[in-house]
Amino acid sequence: MFNFNLVSSAIAPIFTLSRLENPLSSGRTNSIQQWLIFSASAFLVSIPVFVQAPLVRLYPTISLLSTIPWFVLSFILIFRPKTQLWGDLLLGFAGCWLAGSIYWGWFRWEPILHLPIESIGLPFAIWCLGKSWGKVGSYFYLGSLFGTAITDLYFYLTGLMPYWRQVMHAEPELAMPIFQSAIAQIETPWGIGCALILIAVLLTVGLLSLRGTQLHWRAFSGAVLSTLLVDGLFWLAASAA
């Protein structure tokens, strides 16, 4: 059985050493690091859309197995004090990649299972936060999961789940009429109203967390706010079809 306490005992000193050996020299350095984490988080949320989505549709097993290098690289970076922060963030991304590979590879036809499978890393993230380490990666994962939950909620509220199932079963060249029907349902007073409310929720949560000076809040904010960008791109692509 995997021993979480053993991993915690091994990693915690590395985090402590990192904080001692890499103190922030100035407020400017801290500010730059905050925006780097924010930008990296937003970028990492976009990777599954442009890279994992086509990969997992054609080669789901390869997508799933590619999770291993992500986890290996993240732990290599974590155990090096100078790169611990980026390994931490990458660990959270690896959890998102794992969940995405499982769902979009084998369960994408059933939208009800989307959020439960995307939450597969939630116990580990909570455990990390309970041990007071891995905050950047854990908050990145939680931000990504929160954005996913809001998007799925919109699908539920507007009755788009049947279209989801149809698109997943249809051949790519036959999906456009389904997208157009879904857009017609979105462009109703109810659809627009729900969209405005949920956009406001994402903006509020993302901007409030952006005010936090801790790096993990920047990771959370980047993941939440980038959800708006990703969803917007999907809407534009569907509208242009």
Side-chain angles (χ1 to χ4, degrees), residues 51-110:
V51 178
Q52 188 181 30
L55 175 64
V56 76
R57 189 176 184 89
L58 297 174
Y59 309 105
T61 303
I62 293 178
S63 178
L64 180 61
L65 292 177
S66 64
T67 306
I68 298 174
W70 287 124
F71 276 113
V72 171
L73 178 59
S74 67
F75 278 106
I76 289 175
L77 295 177
I78 283 175
F79 278 91
R80 294 178 179 177
K82 291 184 178 180
T83 58
Q84 175 270 322
L85 177 64
W86 303 107
D88 187 354
L89 180 60
L90 190 60
L91 183 60
F93 169 75
C96 294
W97 186 280
L98 172 63
S101 295
I102 295 173
Y103 176 77
W104 295 106
W106 291 275
F107 299 97
R108 61 180 178 268
W109 299 277
E110 184 45 69

Side-chain angles (χ1 to χ4, degrees), residues 191-202:
I192 294 173
C194 289
L196 292 176
I197 292 173
L198 296 181
I199 287 172
V201 170
L202 285 171

Side-chain angles (χ1 to χ4, degrees), residues 142-209:
L142 293 175
S144 178
L145 186 61
F146 178 77
T148 298
I150 293 296
T151 301
D152 283 12
L153 178 60
Y154 181 76
F155 273 75
Y156 281 112
L157 291 175
T158 53
L160 293 175
M161 290 303 177
Y163 297 102
W164 182 323
R165 294 186 180 97
Q166 292 175 36
V167 168
M168 292 300 109
H169 283 287
E171 295 296 327
E173 61 272 11
L174 301 177
M176 293 309 171
I178 303 174
F179 276 122
Q180 292 171 350
S181 298
I183 288 297
Q185 186 153 333
I186 291 173
E187 294 176 344
T188 62
W190 174 253
I192 294 173
C194 289
L196 292 176
I197 292 173
L198 296 181
I199 287 172
V201 170
L202 285 171
L203 282 174
T204 301
V205 173
L207 293 176
L208 285 177
S209 57

